Amino acid sequence: EKTVFYKKCKLDTYAEYSQPDGLVARITYYEDYKRHLIKEIKSIYAHRVDKLVIKSRFPYEFKTVEEYAPGKKSASEKGMSHLKTLIQIDGQIRKLYYYPHRNQDGLIYREERIGTKTIEKYQGREDRLVHRAVTFKPAQKEETAHYEDNHCSYVEIIKIIEKYSLDPNTPAEGQISKMEFNFNDNQIHVSMHYKEGKITAHKETFTRTSHFGEKLGDMQEKDEEDKGARGQRKERALQKEKDSLAQIRAQEQLAAAELPGFKGEEKKGQTAEDIGTQTQLATPMEKTIYDKAREKLKIGATKKKEDEAEKHEDDYLAPVLEKLSLTKDKDMEFTYQEAIQVKNEAFKLLRERLLTRADIIQKRLDKETEKIEKKYQSLINKGERVSKKEEDDADMFFNTANFRMDILTERASQHYKTSLKKFEELDKKLSEDPRLIALKR
C-alpha cells in the first residue's frame, strides 16, 4: 500500500489481489487545500467478477457513478446484463447505460426517475421500438395497480409514450411514429411517419376500452369505431397497449433481478478510509494465473487417483499387493515366497472383514437381548402394580424386539453361509491366478 499527496488530491495504490473488493487505486479529490472537504472519491478496481473498473462517489451530491468493462454477468444468472455505466443520485434518479450488444431486448439506456417516471431507449429491435416513457404515480390500492415498481411498490400508470424508427423499405405513411396511451383521458393517440415530400402526417385518436380491470366511462362511440378500417386500426392499437404493459412488467422484473449487481458495495455514510477494510464488502474475484495453474494440477492429480482406483477395482489383489508393497503388473509372475505371502495375506484380509461383519451383528444381538432383559426385570419389580397400558406397551415392545432379534439371527446365519462361499471363491481365484502359478510348481 502506498499513499501520495498532491494539491487538493490524495492517491492510494494497492497491490493486485491484496484488497477483498479488488481495489488497486483510489483517488480522492478535495475542495480545499487542507484536504478536509471531499469533492470526489474515484476507486479503480481490477480482476472483479462483476467487471466493475471505476467507481466515483460525490458525497455532497449523493451521487455515484460506476463504470463496467464488457462481459458483466447478470445477477439473475440468465446470461450477461451488458451494463456499461450506472449513474445514481440517492432517492432521485438512476441512469443505466448498456453496451449495444445486449441482444435479449435491445435495451441501451434506462432512466428511473424514482416515483414518477421510467424512460427506456432501444436499438436493433424487430418491432423498431426506440423509445418508451412510462409516467406513473403510487397506487392507492393494490387492486388498481398496473404493475409493481422497484422503488415505490405498486403504481398506477398515467401515460405511456412509445416512439418507433422508420423502416426505409416500407412506405412511411403506413408506419407508426409515435403512440401515446393516456390512462387519465382513456385515449390512445397514434401518429404516423411523414411521407416523403409531405409536411403533415396522419394522426388518429381512439378511445380505450375496458381491460386490465379498469372501469372506464361511457363507451357510446365504441360501436361506431369498431366498424371498418378504423375499427381494425383501433384493435391493433389496443393490442399494442397490452403488449406494451406486458413488456413494462417484464423489464421491471428483469431490472429487479439485476438490481443486486447495480447496488454499490459501500454502506450509506461510510467514509473513504472504511472502503475495502471490512471483509463483508468482499466481492468475488477472478482467479489469478497461479490459482488456475494450481487447479489444473489438482484436477490432474485427481484424475490420476481415479485411474489408479479403477485399476484397483479391476484387480482383486490390489489391497493385498499394496499392503505387501508388491508393485507388479498383472502379466508378471510372483516368486514362490511372494506367492505364499500374497495367498496368506488375501485369506487374512478376507477373514478380518468377515469377522468384523459378524462382530457387528453379534453386538446388535447382544444389545437387543439386554434391552429385553431390562424391560422384563422392570415388569417383575413392579409386580401387581403394572397397569393395563403398561402391559400393552410391554407386549408391543417384546413383539418388536423379538422381530428384530429374528432378523438379526437370520442375518448371522446367512453371513455364516456366505462366509464359507467367499472362502471357496477366493481359493478358486488364487488357484487360477497366473501370477501365483509358482504355488502349483
Side-chain angles (χ1 to χ4, degrees):
E1 181 179 347
K2 182 181 178 182
T3 302
V4 181
F5 292 93
Y6 299 91
K7 289 183 179 180
K8 296 186 179 182
C9 181
K10 181 178 73 170
L11 171 64
D12 298 308
T13 55
Y14 306 88
E16 293 184 356
Y17 293 100
S18 64
Q19 301 300 308
D21 58 353
L23 185 68
V24 294
R26 184 190 297 120
I27 306 171
T28 307
Y29 300 96
Y30 298 90
E31 293 281 1
D32 57 334
Y33 288 101
K34 291 185 178 181
R35 294 186 289 271
H36 289 164
L37 301 176
I38 297 175
K39 180 180 180 182
E40 178 187 352
I41 302 171
K42 180 177 288 187
S43 302
I44 302 173
Y45 301 91
H47 310 295
R48 284 173 62 119
V49 172
D50 61 2
K51 300 297 182 181
L52 177 64
V53 290
I54 299 175
K55 181 169 186 176
S56 302
R57 296 197 306 123
F58 301 85
Y60 291 100
E61 300 177 24
F62 303 99
K63 180 179 176 182
T64 303
V65 179
E66 297 180 2
E67 298 179 24
Y68 294 85
K72 174 177 170 56
K73 291 185 178 181
S74 170
S76 61
E77 300 182 357
K78 294 182 180 179
M80 300 291 180
S81 71
H82 301 296
L83 180 63
K84 181 180 181 181
T85 306
L86 162 67
I87 301 175
Q88 175 176 304
I89 299 177
D90 295 343
Q92 297 183 29
I93 194 170
R94 187 201 307 272
K95 297 180 181 179
L96 305 170
Y97 296 84
Y98 296 90
Y99 285 99
H101 44 272
R102 179 180 166 117
N103 298 324
Q104 54 183 334
D105 52 14
L107 183 66
I108 59 171
Y109 174 76
R110 178 181 171 92
E111 179 179 326
E112 300 170 356
R113 299 178 186 176
I114 297 173
T116 58
K117 193 172 187 179
T118 299
I119 300 173
E120 294 174 338
K121 294 183 180 180
Y122 300 88
Q123 75 173 24
R125 286 175 62 110
E126 293 183 1
D127 59 3
R128 309 197 71 82
L129 176 68
V130 294
H131 174 91
R132 178 188 286 130
V134 184
T135 307
F136 54 84
K137 62 181 179 180
Q140 300 296 329
K141 298 179 182 179
E142 184 177 339
E143 293 76 14
T144 61
H146 292 104
Y147 69 94
E148 187 174 3
D149 183 70
N150 293 329
H151 299 283
C152 50
S153 190
Y154 295 98
V155 296
E156 294 180 13
I157 296 176
I158 299 174
K159 183 169 60 175
I160 301 175
I161 295 178
E162 293 184 345
K163 296 179 182 179
Y164 297 85
S165 62
L166 178 65
D167 185 357
N169 301 320
T170 308
E173 64 273 17
Q175 299 182 53
I176 296 175
S177 171
K178 178 181 176 182
M179 295 189 75
E180 178 182 328
F181 307 98
N182 196 311
F183 285 63
N184 281 351
D185 298 338
N186 295 323
Q187 289 185 336
I188 302 175
H189 303 284
V190 182
S191 301
M192 313 302 287
H193 279 283
Y194 287 89
K195 186 179 179 180
E196 187 175 356
K198 297 289 184 179
I199 61 172
T200 59
H202 180 68
K203 297 182 180 180
E204 278 188 303
T205 300
F206 304 104
T207 303
R208 293 178 61 246
T209 55
S210 177
H211 54 281
F212 310 128
E214 297 171 299
K215 293 182 179 179
L216 304 183
D218 189 10
M219 298 296 169
Q220 294 179 355
E221 60 176 312
K222 180 179 184 299
D223 295 336
E224 298 178 2
E225 288 185 351
D226 287 348
K227 296 176 183 178
R230 178 176 169 83
Q232 295 178 5
R233 292 195 297 272
K234 179 182 178 181
E235 287 299 322
R236 288 197 293 269
L238 292 173
Q239 186 61 43
K240 279 276 189 182
E241 181 182 334
K242 293 180 182 179
D243 296 341
S244 297
L245 190 56
Q247 292 175 18
I248 291 169
R249 289 168 177 164
Q251 284 291 354
E252 205 68 25
Q253 291 174 0
L254 184 60
E258 294 176 341
L259 198 60
F262 299 158
K263 291 181 179 179
E265 284 74 15
E266 299 85 353
K267 293 182 180 179
K268 190 175 181 181
Q270 233 178 353
T271 62
E273 289 74 15
D274 294 334
I275 304 173
T277 60
Q278 300 180 17
T279 56
Q280 65 265 31
L281 302 181
T283 301
M285 304 289 293
E286 293 179 345
K287 295 175 183 176
T288 65
I289 188 172
Y290 306 105
D291 292 337
K292 292 178 181 177
R294 292 190 192 99
E295 283 190 0
K296 191 173 181 181
L297 288 173
K298 189 176 180 180
I299 292 172
T302 304
K303 189 175 181 182
K304 187 177 180 181
K305 287 182 180 179
E306 289 175 355
D307 294 340
E308 291 177 356
E310 288 179 2
K311 290 180 181 178
H312 285 184
E313 289 176 1
D314 297 338
D315 187 5
Y316 72 102
L317 287 178
V320 178
L321 300 180
E322 186 176 351
K323 187 172 183 180
L324 297 176
S325 301
L326 295 175
T327 56
K328 290 191 177 184
D329 297 332
K330 289 185 177 182
D331 55 349
M332 296 179 65
E333 295 183 9
F334 293 110
T335 63
Y336 180 76
Q337 292 297 331
E338 290 175 340
I340 289 291
Q341 288 180 350
V342 170
K343 183 177 180 179
N344 292 338
E345 188 64 29
F347 278 115
K348 180 182 176 183
L349 290 177
L350 177 60
R351 185 169 60 252
E352 289 176 354
R353 289 199 302 271
L354 296 175
L355 288 174
T356 301
R357 177 62 180 165
D359 186 53
I360 292 172
I361 296 174
Q362 187 59 45
K363 284 182 178 178
R364 293 187 64 182
L365 275 169
D366 295 341
K367 189 175 181 180
E368 292 296 332
T369 304
E370 185 180 355
K371 286 182 180 179
I372 292 174
E373 290 177 353
K374 285 183 178 179
K375 189 69 175 178
Y376 182 71
Q377 189 63 39
S378 65
L379 291 174
I380 291 176
N381 293 337
K382 288 186 178 180
E384 296 179 355
R385 292 175 297 173
V386 178
S387 63
K388 178 65 176 174
K389 185 177 182 304
E390 289 177 334
E391 288 182 0
D392 295 339
D393 292 342
D395 290 340
M396 185 179 294
F397 173 81
F398 287 129
N399 290 334
T400 306
N402 288 331
F403 177 72
R404 289 197 294 263
M405 290 281 289
D406 292 340
I407 292 176
L408 291 172
T409 304
E410 180 63 26
R411 285 183 183 175
S413 175
Q414 190 67 24
H415 179 68
Y416 175 75
K417 294 176 184 178
T418 55
S419 298
L420 297 177
K421 186 177 180 181
K422 286 180 180 179
F423 271 108
E424 292 175 0
E425 290 174 354
L426 179 60
D427 185 55
K428 185 179 180 181
K429 278 185 178 181
L430 293 172
S431 62
E432 295 175 354
D433 196 322
R435 292 172 292 180
L436 303 177
I437 194 70
L439 294 174
K440 296 183 179 180
R441 297 176 189 154

